Amino acid sequence: MQSSRSVLRLLCQRFRNAGYCQQQSPRPHVLDELRRLFKLVHPDLFHSYPQHQEINQRSFQLLQEYLRVAKGGQVNCSVNEYKLEFYVRREREPKGFKDEKEESIKKVEVCLPPPQATLPGTEMLPATRSALGLLLSSFGLSPEFSGNLTGGGEILSKSRLTMKLSELFQTASELQRQNETTVLGQEQRMIVVRNALRLGRGVTVSFRKDLPPDSQLQCLHSLARALDSVPDCELKGCALLIGDSCCGVDGLGNLWLNHDDGPVFWAEFFRQLDVSSIAAKRAAVRERRVKEFRAARLMEVEMIFADDALSLEQEYSSFLDKVLHEAEAIGAVGDGKFHDLPIRVTSSSGSSMSVDDRMGYINVPVTENLAEIYKFVNERGREAVKRRIEFKAEEEKLGNLNLHVRKKLRLRNLVFAPELEMEQIRSACMRLLNHATRLRLLTEGLSICISDEYRLPIPGTRSMMHLRWNFSMADL
């Protein structure tokens, strides 16, 4: 009997060595490993180390962009590699006779090539899987994983496709609470710096790129240093727009700055500015607005306006001069019956006069003569004014509906994405009201944007939770 057991053990050992009886431990899911990484490098862990916190915040946002592109998002062609720098807290054994463990901070640097984007529902491509394996192994996590990124949502949350609606509200509420604590002090400091720039140098600053508050504050301090280094550059009255485009001056006399360039580059840009040319552009804008106001008063219409591209052309200025000259002699259009009618001037390429069905203004080509404009307004003006009144009434109803939903659900803010139609907005609001009793406990204090997707707030910002306009209560 003992001999038989020995033979059986020997056979089992051979089968295990051959791989037949070997039990493979399941590979962790890629999203689980990314969540573990998130818990190691979260910026909130480094409040006592502001520089480390800033670096982790910047790299975390870059990692989010990498994952977005890997899931089929739009590729940023200007990025040749994703250089990630993270600080990680590590515990080490105490020296001497200390009972408690000491803590050290380790820096981890990883360079990843741009990911190969995949289509939703398809497998992660090998190059992307290999790059993520390199990233995870750098933090002592598993480089071998299962699963896919597609449909995975942000790495700090569950899958958007599997997360219940109630969990989405709860997670968004917690994120917004954390963001309020993080952002409040930074926004107060930004107000101080902006006021100092406005009062000290006479410039206004706004951002045209969605940057977290800490990055905006850093940009404002860099801008202050750049302006201090060029005290002779007189920019009083200028508007400075910080975005992701190249430095330059637009046709309206606004100064555009790239947020990545920094104070040294900005200072050199300011030194080379033609201040007199900027002043001339701003003066031309003021003159154009005066002409638009005077022309509207003479014709007795609500307003006359054009898109920015056309408004910068000499052709539009000539059009306004012609209207001012002829309307002064002719008088009000339609004997003053069209005070609520806006007139939008358009480019002349293949266009003709028309009534906008949505907003109720009249489109007029910039080459049209005033007599034909008066004739068209007399013929179609009542139709346009009727549509204008209906549009304003719809806007007012939508505003009242927004206020009603906010009160019922006890929301802090409720906004609607610009791509939504009014009927979609109305549908979403009515669904929220119909289920207000069930939703109120989940939505109180939230800031919500009704859009065409589900999206959690971005950590470290005041961004809103996005709720699909056609959300289903069955997902609650």
Side-chain angles (χ1 to χ4, degrees):
M1 180 65 71
Q2 183 68 29
S3 176
S4 297
R5 289 178 180 175
S6 299
V7 172
L8 182 60
R9 282 197 297 268
L10 180 60
L11 288 173
C12 288
Q13 182 65 40
R14 288 179 179 177
F15 271 84
R16 280 194 292 268
N17 292 340
Y20 294 102
C21 296
Q22 192 171 2
Q23 293 184 351
Q24 298 288 343
S25 58
R27 293 179 178 179
H29 196 282
V30 60
L31 294 179
D32 293 332
E33 292 300 279
L34 288 172
R35 290 186 192 104
R36 290 178 62 193
L37 172 60
F38 171 74
K39 292 178 181 179
L40 291 174
V41 301
H42 195 290
D44 287 350
L45 300 173
F46 295 87
H47 281 300
S48 301
Y49 305 92
Q51 292 182 341
H52 297 355
Q53 185 182 43
E54 180 181 348
I55 290 173
N56 277 25
Q57 179 70 32
R58 186 164 56 243
S59 292
F60 179 70
Q61 291 169 351
L62 195 60
L63 175 58
Q64 290 279 30
E65 180 182 345
Y66 180 94
L67 296 175
R68 177 185 60 79
V69 174
K71 290 185 293 183
Q74 186 176 3
V75 179
N76 187 349
C77 299
S78 63
V79 178
N80 297 320
E81 65 177 8
Y82 287 77
K83 185 177 180 181
L84 304 175
E85 301 175 88
F86 287 108
Y87 285 94
V88 186
R89 291 181 179 273
R90 299 288 190 191
E91 289 185 346
R92 62 189 179 190
E93 293 299 326
K95 296 180 180 180
F97 296 97
K98 293 182 180 179
D99 294 327
E100 297 181 357
K101 289 186 176 181
E102 296 179 350
E103 187 180 62
S104 64
I105 296 180
K106 175 184 177 183
K107 185 177 182 180
V108 178
E109 298 183 60
V110 184
C111 288
L112 303 181
Q116 296 179 342
T118 183
L119 296 176
T122 59
E123 290 296 322
M124 191 189 312
L125 295 175
T128 303
R129 183 175 291 273
S130 175
L132 285 178
L134 171 65
L135 173 67
L136 295 172
S137 64
S138 300
F139 292 86
L141 303 175
S142 175
E144 299 293 332
F145 49 80
S146 63
N148 204 0
L149 288 171
T150 306
E154 282 78 14
I155 65 175
L156 71 162
S157 71
K158 297 182 180 179
S159 166
R160 290 193 195 126
L161 300 182
T162 60
M163 178 184 281
K164 287 185 177 180
L165 196 57
S166 57
E167 293 175 337
L168 184 71
F169 284 128
Q170 292 167 5
T171 306
S173 180
E174 177 61 20
L175 278 172
Q176 288 187 1
R177 184 192 65 80
Q178 294 175 2
N179 289 344
E180 285 288 337
T181 304
T182 304
V183 170
L184 186 60
Q186 294 168 335
E187 287 187 340
Q188 291 175 338
R189 290 193 291 272
M190 278 195 290
I191 292 173
V192 172
V193 179
R194 278 181 168 172
N195 284 340
L197 290 170
R198 181 174 57 83
L199 297 174
R201 295 301 299 265
V203 299
T204 59
V205 186
S206 59
F207 289 87
R208 292 298 184 268
K209 181 175 175 59
D210 189 14
L211 297 174
D214 56 344
S215 298
Q216 292 188 23
L217 184 60
Q218 182 180 356
C219 284
L220 291 175
H221 283 301
S222 297
L223 178 59
R225 290 197 299 272
L227 290 172
D228 287 343
S229 65
V230 285
D232 296 333
C233 183
E234 181 55 59
L235 298 178
K236 187 175 181 179
C238 289
L240 305 181
L241 311 178
I242 301 177
D244 53 7
S245 58
C246 297
C247 286
V249 182
D250 64 20
L252 301 175
N254 300 317
L255 275 62
W256 287 80
L257 305 175
N258 188 320
H259 71 98
D260 283 331
D261 288 337
V264 176
F265 187 93
W266 291 345
E268 186 60 29
F269 169 69
F270 293 146
R271 289 190 186 95
Q272 298 178 12
L273 284 176
D274 184 351
V275 179
S276 59
S277 174
I278 296 173
K281 288 181 178 181
R282 290 170 42 229
V285 171
R286 291 194 297 270
E287 182 182 359
R288 184 202 73 203
R289 290 173 179 167
V290 170
K291 288 182 179 180
E292 289 173 338
F293 176 78
R294 288 181 55 208
R297 289 288 299 271
L298 289 173
M299 292 181 66
E300 295 191 21
V301 295
E302 182 180 352
M303 68 180 79
I304 297 177
F305 68 99
D307 296 335
D308 284 341
L310 176 61
S311 68
L312 299 175
E313 300 293 333
Q314 178 59 40
E315 190 176 26
Y316 179 60
S317 181
S318 300
F319 171 84
L320 292 175
D321 289 336
K322 182 173 61 176
V323 170
L324 286 171
H325 176 71
E326 297 180 9
E328 190 170 9
I330 300 174
V333 60
D335 296 326
K337 299 176 182 178
F338 299 104
H339 292 94
D340 296 325
L341 178 65
I343 293 180
R344 174 176 175 262
V345 183
T346 64
S347 60
S348 58
S349 55
S351 61
S352 58
M353 286 185 286
S354 62
V355 175
D356 181 84
D357 291 333
R358 180 172 177 268
M359 299 184 66
Y361 51 71
I362 287 183
N363 293 304
V364 174
V366 69
T367 54
E368 196 63 76
N369 64 71
L370 196 62
E372 291 298 322
I373 295 174
Y374 273 49
K375 179 181 177 182
F376 185 85
V377 171
N378 284 321
E379 293 175 353
R380 304 281 303 275
R382 289 183 178 84
E383 173 190 344
V385 169
K386 180 182 177 182
R387 188 67 198 95
R388 182 69 175 171
I389 293 173
E390 290 173 351
F391 175 78
K392 288 184 176 180
E394 289 175 359
E395 279 195 323
E396 184 178 358
K397 288 180 181 177
L398 197 60
N400 293 334
L401 184 59
N402 183 315
L403 181 61
H404 188 43
V405 173
R406 283 176 52 199
K407 288 182 176 180
K408 278 286 185 180
L409 297 182
R410 300 170 183 168
L411 297 173
R412 176 175 297 184
N413 291 296
L414 177 64
V415 301
F416 309 112
E419 64 268 16
L420 294 185
E421 301 291 338
M422 282 191 174
E423 190 54 41
Q424 293 174 319
I425 294 173
R426 191 176 293 108
S427 172
C429 288
M430 295 311 298
R431 196 177 300 108
L432 289 170
L433 289 174
N434 290 337
H435 301 281
T437 304
R438 294 179 63 192
L439 291 174
R440 188 181 295 121
L441 294 177
L442 297 170
T443 59
E444 184 172 2
L446 275 176
S447 294
I448 295 179
C449 174
I450 304 296
S451 66
D452 57 1
E453 65 174 338
Y454 293 117
R455 190 199 310 168
L456 288 171
I458 301 172
T461 71
R462 284 196 183 274
S463 61
M464 297 183 175
M465 164 193 166
H466 282 236
L467 180 67
R468 284 185 59 148
W469 70 270
N470 57 348
F471 69 91
S472 173
M473 290 300 296
D475 297 334
L476 193 60

